[in-house]
C-alpha cells in the first residue's frame, strides 16, 4: 500500500495520505489549522507535532527538522508537520501540541480560561410581592423582604439607599413583580419593575502600565460578551512606572490628573464594550480591577509615592472595595469595584490575579509564572511555598523602544523566521496585512531567528561581514525585514543593533530575577515543571523563541505554556466567583517577596544574562544544542 492514514485523535479526524505528502498536508485536508508561518518550507519551526505511533510509515527526520528540534524532542517523537513526509504503509497517530494550534493561540492572547464555579457577588432575582391591603398595611420594604424570604434569601438582607429610592415606583410599575439585584446575598442594591433577570453584567479590567484591557461579562452565563483595550493614557505623563510615581508625587492635582485619565479611559472601554454587546451600562453592576501596585494606587486616588521609596510599602495589601460612582466609573450607580490584594510594593493585584489564573498556589509541582510587561512580575513556587519579585524590564517586549516597534495591530509583524541558507527573512503580520512595523512577539521571534541563523552573535552584535543585502549600516548596523517597496509605510522596516540591545536588557532583567528566585528556594531549572509565560502582548509569543533569547530558564518546551493576559483572566475569575476573592486574600498572605536590588548577586546575574541566551551555556542546554546544529554546515 502506498496510501496511509494520519489520525489526529484529539480532533477525532483521520486524513488519507499518499506517498510524499506531509503531515501538514494531512492536517489541511481535514481542516485542522496548524501554525505554518513559512508556508511549509521547514524554516519557521512553528508547525511542531508529536508522532505518537506509526513513525515507521514516515520518512526519516530531515536536516531542517534536526535544526529546529532538540535531541530530546526528536526522541519524544516531535516532528515538523511540513517536513514529516508520509512514505508508505499504515496508520500514524499524530498529536498537535497547543503551541502549534492556530485557534488555541488566538484564544490564549486574551488569557487562559481557568474554570471557576460561578458564584458572582451580584445576582438578580425575580420576586412576586403580595399586595398590601387596608386591613393589613405593610411597608413596601417589608413586602420586598417577605418576597425575598420566599425565594430562599436570608431575612437579614438590607435595602441600600439607591434601591430604596427606586422601590415604591418599581413595585407599582411592575404590577407587584420586581427584579431585585442582590450583592453578596446581603444587600439589595437595585429594584426594577418586571423581569430583568437576564440582564446582569460585570466588568473586569486589567490596568497595565502600557495597556488597559477591559472584559464585559454576562454574570448569569459566566461568559465574556465583549472586550476592549487601549493604550494606558498615563504614558504621556511618564513612560515607566517610576516617572509616573514622581509625577503623581508632585501634588494632589497631578495625582488626580493621572487618576482621571485612567478612569476616563476605563469608562470609554466600558462604553465601547457595552455598545458592541448591546448592553446598557446601567446593567453593569459589579467590577474587578487589577493592576500593579502603582496603577492600583493611582486608580484609587492613593499617592503611590511611598511605594517607590525603600522599603517600598504599599498603602494597603489586603483587598479593597469602593463604590464605582465614588471614583467616577460610569456603570450602575450602586455598583462596587473590587480590587484584589497586593503582595508588595512592586508585586500588585495583577500578579495576584496571575497566580489565581495559573493556580500555582494549588499545585504540588514547582511552577514559575512570568508576567512580562514594562515591569515583569515573577512568581515561583507551589502549594507549599511561593515567592515573587518584580523586574524593571522596560517596554521592549511590547514593541516599545524598538525602532520600528508598534502595538499588535493589523500590519504588525508578529512572527519572523530567517532562511539560514540565504539569510532571507520571512514573516507573518497581524491580519495578514502589508507590514507596518514589528510588535512584541515579532521582535522576540526576530532576535531568536537572527541568533539562530548567525546574523547576531551571543553578544547580540550584528555581523555586518555576512554576505546579505539585508544587513547594512545606517547609523547603526541593522537587518532589514521588509523593504519599502514591499510595504505601504514608505520606509524599510528593520531590526537595528539598538533593538537587539533593548531585548537583551529586558530579557536579562527577567532571567536574572528568575534565577534569584530559584536561588531563594534552592531549586534548579530542571525541577521546574511548568513555566507560565504571561503578558498583554496582544499576540501569541512563541515560547521557543523566548527561550532561545534566554528570557526564562531552559526547560523542555512542553512544560512551557503561553497564557496571554493571565492578569485579565484572574480578574474575570474574581468577578465570577466570591470564593476566588476569598482565596486571593489567603493566597496573598502566602506569597513571599524578594527585593532584587537588595540581592548581592543581582548585578552579576544580570550582566551574565545579557548574552544570548546566557554567558553560561550550560544553563541553556537545548538552545546550545540548536545553535551548534545550525552553524555546523550547509543547509539543504
Ligand atoms: S511550516 Fe513547517 S517549518 Fe514553517
Amino acid at each position: 500500500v502506498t496510501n496511509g492514514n494520519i489520525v489526529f485523535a484529539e480532533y477525532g479526524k483521520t486524513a488519507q495520505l499518499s506517498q510524499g505528502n506531509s503531515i501538514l498536508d494531512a492536517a489541511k485536508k481535514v481542516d485542522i489549522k496548524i501554525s505554518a508561518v513559512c508556508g511549509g518550507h521547514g524554516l519557521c519551526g512553528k508547525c511542531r507535532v508529536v508522532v505518537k505511533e506509526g513513525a515507521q510509515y514516515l520518512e526519516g527526520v530531515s536536516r531542517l527538522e534536526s535544526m529546529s528540534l532538540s535531541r530530546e524532542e526528536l526522541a519524544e517523537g516531535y516532528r515538523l508537520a511540513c517536513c514529516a513526509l508520509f512514505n508508505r504503509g499504515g496508520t500514524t497517530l499524530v498529536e498537535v501540541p497547543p503551541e502549534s494550534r492556530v485557534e488555541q493561540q488566538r484564544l490564549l492572547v486574551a488569557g487562559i480560561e481557568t474554570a471557576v464555579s460561578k458564584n458572582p457577588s451580584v445576582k438578580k432575582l425575580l420576586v412576586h410581592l403580595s399586595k398590601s391591603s387596608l386591613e393589613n398595611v405593610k411597608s413596601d420594604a417589608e413586602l420586598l423582604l417577605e418576597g425575598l424570604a420566599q425565594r430562599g434569601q436570608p431575612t437579614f438582607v438590607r435595602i441600600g439607599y439607591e434601591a430604596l429610592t427606586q422601590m415604591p415606583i418599581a413595585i407599582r410599575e411592575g404590577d407587584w413583580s420586581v427584579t431585585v439585584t442582590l450583592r453578596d446575598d446581603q444587600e439589595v442594591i437595585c429594584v426594577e419593575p418586571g423581569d430583568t433577570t437576564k440582564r446582569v453584567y460585570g466588568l473586569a479590567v486589567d490596568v497595565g502600565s502600557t495597556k488597559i484591557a477591559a472584559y464585559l461579562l454576562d454574570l448569569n452565563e459566566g461568559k465574556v460578551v465583549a472586550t476592549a483595550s487601549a493604550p494606558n493614557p498615563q504614558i504621556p505623563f511618564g513612560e515607566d512606572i517610576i516617572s509616573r510615581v514622581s509625577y503623581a508625587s508632585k501634588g494632589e492635582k497631578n495625582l488626580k490628573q493621572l487618576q482621571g485619565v485612567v478612569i476616563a479611559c476605563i469608562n470609554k472601554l466600558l462604553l465601547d464594550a457595552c455598545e458592541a454587546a448591546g448592553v446598557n451600562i446601567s446593567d453593569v453592576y459589579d467590577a474587578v480591577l487589577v493592576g500593579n501596585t502603582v496603577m492600583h494606587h493611582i486608580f484609587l486616588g492613593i499617592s503611590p509615592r511611598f511605594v517607590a521609596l525603600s522599603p517600598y510599602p504599599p498603602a494597603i495589601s489586603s483587598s479593597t472595595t469602593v463604590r464605582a460612582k465614588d471614583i467616577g466609573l460610569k456603570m450602575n450607580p450602586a455598583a462596587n469595584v473590587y480590587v484584589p490584594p497586593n503582595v508588595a510594593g512592586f508585586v500588585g493585584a495583577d500578579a495576584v490575579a496571575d497566580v489565581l489564573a495559573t493556580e500555582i498556589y494549588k499545585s504540588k509541582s514547582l511552577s514559575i509564572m512570568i508576567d512580562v510587561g514594562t515591569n515583569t512580575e515573577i512568581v515561583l513556587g507551589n502549594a507549599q511555598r511561593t515567592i515573587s519579585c518584580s523586574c524593571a524590564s522596560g517596554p521592549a517586549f511590547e514593541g516599545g523602544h524598538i525602532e520600528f516597534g508598534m502595538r499588535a495591530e493589523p500590519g504588525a509583524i508578529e512572527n519572523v523566521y530567517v532562511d539560514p541558507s540565504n539569510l532571507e527573512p520571512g514573516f507573518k503580520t497581524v491580519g495578514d496585512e502589508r507590514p507596518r512595523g514589528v510588535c512584541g512577539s515579532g521582535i522576540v521571534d526576530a532576535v531568536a531567528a537572527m541568533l539562530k541563523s548567525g546574523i547576531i552573535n551571543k553578544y547580540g552584535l550584528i555581523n555586518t561581514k555576512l554576505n546579505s543585502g539585508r544587513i547594512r549600516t545606517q547609523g547603526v548596523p541593522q537587518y532589514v525585514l521588509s523593504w519599502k517597496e514591499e510595504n505601504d509605510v514608505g520606509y524599510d522596516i528593520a531590526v537595528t543593533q539598538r533593538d537587539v540591545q533593548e531585548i537583551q536588557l529586558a530579557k536579562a532583567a527577567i532571567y536574572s530575577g528568575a534565577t534569584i528566585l530559584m536561588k531563594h528556594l534552592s531549586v534548579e531549572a530542571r525541577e521546574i515543571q511548568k513555566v507560565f509565560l504571561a503578558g498583554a502582548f496582544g499576540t501569541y509569543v512563541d515560547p521557543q523563541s523566548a527561550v532561545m533569547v534566554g528570557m526564562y530558564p531552559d526547560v523542555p518546551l512542553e512544560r512551557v505554556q503561553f497564557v496571554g493576559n493571565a492578569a485579565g483572566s484572574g480578574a474575570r475569575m474574581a468577578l465570577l466567583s466570591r470564593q476566588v476573592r476569598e482565596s486571593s486574600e489567603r493566597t496573598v498572605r502566602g506569597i513571599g517577596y524578594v527585593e532584587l536590588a537588595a540581592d548581592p548577586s543581582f548585578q552579576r546575574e544580570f550582566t551574565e544574562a545579557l548574552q544570548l541566551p546566557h554567558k553560561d551555556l550550560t544553563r541553556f542546554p537545548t538552545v546550545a544544542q540548536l545553535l551548534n546544529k545550525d552553524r555546523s554546515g550547509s543547509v539543504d
Side-chain angles (χ1 to χ4, degrees), residues 189-512:
I189 59 167
C190 195
V191 182
E192 294 166 293
D195 185 357
T196 68
T197 48
K198 290 239 157 13
R199 303 201 311 255
V200 52
Y201 298 89
L203 185 74
V205 190
D206 169 32
V207 180
S209 342
T210 5
K211 185 176 152 184
I212 301 184
Y215 309 83
L216 183 66
L217 276 83
D218 179 328
L219 297 182
N220 283 327
E221 303 290 326
K223 289 208 181 87
V224 175
V225 292
T227 60
S229 71
N232 189 324
Q234 295 172 338
I235 294 172
F237 300 93
E239 199 169 20
D240 56 78
I241 293 283
I242 296 300
S243 46
R244 272 180 239 174
V245 171
S246 60
Y247 185 85
S249 306
K250 284 197 190 107
E252 184 67 18
K253 206 172 120 239
N254 286 19
L255 174 61
K256 282 268 166 294
Q257 196 180 14
L258 287 186
Q259 184 192 23
V261 292
V262 150
I263 293 200
C265 177
I266 298 174
N267 279 335
K268 166 88 173 55
L269 295 178
L270 173 61
L271 207 61
D272 289 351
C274 282
E275 237 168 64
V279 167
N280 199 320
I281 52 168
S282 62
D283 288 329
V284 181
Y285 295 90
D286 198 15
V288 171
L289 179 129
V290 301
N292 63 49
T293 313
V294 172
M295 293 300 108
H296 163 283
H297 281 44
I298 295 177
F299 169 76
L300 293 171
I302 303 170
S303 171
R305 190 162 149 204
F306 307 104
V307 173
L309 295 176
S310 178
Y312 319 105
I316 177 171
S317 56
S318 56
S319 68
T320 337
T321 303
V322 290
R323 292 285 292 253
K325 95 172 172 197
D326 287 349
I327 50 169
L329 280 185
K330 296 205 177 81
M331 46 184 75
N332 188 289
N336 272 354
V337 186
Y338 170 82
V339 187
N342 295 307
V343 179
F346 284 102
V347 178
D350 52 351
V352 173
D354 285 329
V355 172
L356 291 174
T358 52
E359 300 191 318
I360 291 181
Y361 66 105
K362 284 188 184 170
S363 167
K364 279 209 192 75
S365 51
L366 187 69
S367 318
I368 190 166
M369 190 286 310
I370 304 176
D371 190 343
V372 180
T374 312
N375 265 285
T376 295
E377 291 88 22
I378 309 181
V379 181
L380 173 73
N382 54 21
Q384 272 88 51
R385 201 166 162 215
T386 322
I387 55 171
S388 63
C389 71
S390 162
C391 344
S393 46
F397 288 123
E398 293 162 308
H401 290 183
I402 297 296
E403 177 98 31
F404 299 98
M406 65 179 284
R407 294 210 299 145
E409 285 167 350
I413 295 177
E414 55 171 338
N415 291 124
V416 179
Y417 64 88
V418 174
D419 184 340
S421 65
N422 55 12
L423 302 184
E424 280 298 297
F427 52 76
K428 187 191 168 306
T429 61
V430 176
D432 292 317
E433 290 190 13
R434 303 250 285 180
R436 289 175 43 218
V438 191
C439 69
S441 63
I443 193 80
V444 177
D445 252 21
V447 174
M450 287 162 73
L451 179 69
K452 225 175 138 198
S453 56
I455 295 172
I456 53 176
N457 63 13
K458 62 179 180 179
Y459 302 108
L461 297 173
I462 296 180
N463 183 351
T464 48
K465 299 212 176 67
L466 285 173
N467 182 20
S468 160
R470 300 264 176 183
I471 299 170
R472 64 178 187 196
T473 302
Q474 264 191 6
V476 289
Q478 48 188 250
Y479 174 66
V480 180
L481 293 177
S482 159
W483 298 112
K484 65 170 178 278
E485 294 74 29
E486 300 161 347
N487 63 46
D488 295 333
V489 284
Y491 46 78
D492 302 336
I493 298 171
V495 178
T496 71
Q497 186 64 72
R498 274 196 288 269
D499 297 343
V500 178
Q501 274 156 6
E502 287 288 339
I503 292 296
Q504 285 172 281
L505 288 169
K507 72 96 185 179
I510 296 173
Y511 182 80
S512 45

Side-chain angles (χ1 to χ4, degrees), residues 55-76:
Q56 68 270 30
Y57 306 122
L58 302 174
E59 281 179 17
V61 172
S62 67
R63 186 176 169 77
L64 285 171
E65 287 177 276
S66 68
M67 281 170 35
S68 274
L69 301 166
S70 70
R71 270 193 300 274
E72 291 74 22
E73 287 168 340
L74 287 169
E76 282 166 35

